[in-house]
Amino acid sequence: MRRIKQLANAHLVYPAACHTRFEHSLGVLHCATLMARQLEIEGDDLTTLRYAALLHDVGHGPFSHVFEAPLREINGKDATHEAITRRIIQEDEEITPILGEAAEDVVAVLSEDRNGILHQIISGNIDADKLDYLRRDSYHTGVAYGNFDLERVRHTLRKTKKTRFRQREDLAVHEKGIDAIESFRLARFLMYAQVYYHHTNVVANGMLQRAIRVAIRDRVVDAEKLRNGKDDFLERYLALDDARLLAQVLTRPESTAADLVMRLERRDLFKRGYESNVSQEEDYLLRYQLGTKFTPERAQTIERAVAEECGCDPDYIVADLVKIENSLFKSASTLLEEDKFPFLIERKDGTVTEIDSFSTLTYNGEPRTIFYLFCPEEHREMVQERAGEIIAGTIG
């Protein structure tokens, strides 16, 4: 994790954003421990929680989330970094002897179908993961968007009481902490809108992801070695990091994958040839096809059509759809419909309710959806002139 950047290519936008998954994991361990103290979690539960916090991201591949999509294309949709994390905890020869009998308990805390208090501290609405990465990423990128009052949030955390209607403990916030929670929720939205989905970060990560896919297609990177059914999958997977993956791609300089990586190294980034705020498009068909029905196959169709018109290699046209969703501001009813857990607020009289009755910021609208076509500078003018008509033709 020391060799995997937390924010992939964000340093090309924010030069100091070179922090790693290792630093973040230590921060999550610290935040989880603070939360546990506030909630009076002790003994074996505290030990299990701390292990889970430290190891929650150990399944990330090179460049974090950028590598995940190509990995799923090789192994299927269930090949997520969370699933690989659980497998590492259960099978890795270095980790399992340290955890011993606690390994299965740690896996249970990190399992998506587990929704008790320990799981919510690691992966919930107000979890140690978000408490760390929002402030850490904000610090390293040099922006103020991710700042919120961590101590106030921590101080107002509560456990709900078990009753005959509620058979488990859940994470809640005392009503006196509502303003700190609103700041926390807004910080997450702004970091996604202004940092994680900054258009330059989007194009840099898009170019890198394209390079990885091309390297797999051209067998510069051997897909067979990344199949999780292989006995040596974990050994090969854990041997990959940011630098080693790039070095592997660069072994074939004639491949477009190598050229894409070298462009990233020189910061010779693709430009926005076309941009559409899909969620505000008046054309319903365009909004539906580019928003709701956008798939990798549709992206490839658009890329090929634009590349043919411009007379360039389709590998150099990158179609991407960004959805900036206000997920932490969704109403309790919407979250429950999506099989997600709502924010719980403990009133002064000890009763528990959803945050909707306190907040004036609940939002049930569509996510801000932006469609991009990125291309080299020399093709930008042609793409700007022709892309709209070409896209309309591919979805007509």
Side-chain angles (χ1 to χ4, degrees), residues 74-297:
I74 295 171
N75 292 293
K77 64 180 181 180
D78 294 330
T80 63
H81 77 271
E82 293 93 348
I84 295 172
T85 291
R86 294 192 291 271
R87 183 173 170 185
I88 290 171
I89 292 169
Q90 291 173 308
E91 300 178 26
D92 183 78
E93 293 180 356
E94 290 186 73
I95 292 177
T96 51
I98 296 171
L99 297 185
E101 295 179 358
E104 292 305 318
D105 292 333
V106 174
V107 168
V109 169
L110 295 174
S111 295
E112 294 173 4
D113 58 354
R114 167 79 174 263
N115 206 15
I117 190 76
L118 297 185
H119 176 79
Q120 290 172 36
I121 290 173
I122 301 298
S123 182
N125 293 319
I126 314 164
D127 58 40
D129 187 31
K130 296 184 189 70
L131 292 181
D132 179 78
Y133 78 65
L134 290 174
R135 285 161 52 96
R136 185 176 303 278
D137 294 349
S138 183
Y139 173 80
H140 282 281
T141 55
V143 303
Y145 303 116
N147 290 325
F148 58 90
D149 191 343
L150 173 62
E151 280 305 301
R152 186 63 173 169
V153 171
R154 181 190 66 81
H155 183 68
T156 55
L157 290 177
R158 299 290 186 270
K159 284 190 293 188
T160 62
K161 296 179 177 64
K162 290 182 180 180
T163 67
R164 63 192 182 97
F165 302 107
R166 188 187 295 273
Q167 297 300 311
R168 69 179 191 202
E169 295 174 322
D170 287 310
L171 192 62
V173 176
H174 194 276
E175 67 172 272
K176 65 185 179 183
I178 187 67
D179 291 332
I181 291 302
E182 296 291 53
S183 176
F184 162 74
R185 295 202 293 173
L186 185 59
R188 184 180 183 275
F189 171 73
L190 290 175
M191 284 296 287
Y192 274 88
Q194 299 295 327
V195 176
Y196 307 139
Y197 289 141
H198 186 289
H199 72 272
T200 306
N201 196 35
V202 172
V203 66
N205 288 337
M207 289 173 67
L208 178 58
Q209 200 166 76
R210 174 59 52 82
I212 295 169
R213 286 181 165 127
V214 170
I216 291 170
R217 182 197 69 198
D218 294 349
R219 299 185 179 180
V220 181
V221 173
D222 189 350
E224 289 304 311
K225 293 180 179 179
L226 293 172
R227 293 198 184 280
N228 58 20
K230 300 283 185 178
D231 292 339
D232 59 353
F233 167 75
L234 285 186
E235 181 183 350
R236 293 185 181 279
Y237 184 80
L238 290 171
L240 282 176
D241 56 40
D242 295 0
R244 287 170 179 165
L245 178 63
L246 294 186
Q248 194 171 340
V249 173
L250 290 170
T251 58
R252 288 265 299 277
E254 71 277 10
S255 169
T256 53
D259 182 59
L260 288 165
V261 166
M262 288 188 287
R263 285 171 180 260
L264 286 170
E265 289 181 342
R266 299 193 304 268
R267 205 183 182 278
D268 178 15
L269 303 180
F270 289 173
K271 307 301 180 184
R272 284 177 290 178
Y274 178 84
E275 178 180 350
S276 171
N277 192 330
V278 176
S279 47
Q280 295 182 1
E281 280 284 352
E282 294 183 4
D283 185 329
Y284 170 77
L285 180 61
L286 185 66
R287 190 166 71 245
Y288 177 71
Q289 295 288 3
L290 287 184
T292 308
K293 289 296 183 180
F294 188 78
T295 62
E297 292 74 24

Side-chain angles (χ1 to χ4, degrees), residues 175 178 182 185 331-332 343-347 352-360 362:
E175 67 172 272
I178 187 67
E182 296 291 53
R185 295 202 293 173
S331 67
F343 277 89
L344 297 180
I345 301 296
E346 182 184 89
R347 296 190 183 97
V352 176
T353 187
E354 289 84 12
I355 199 171
D356 299 18
S357 57
F358 285 86
S359 176
T360 58
T362 299

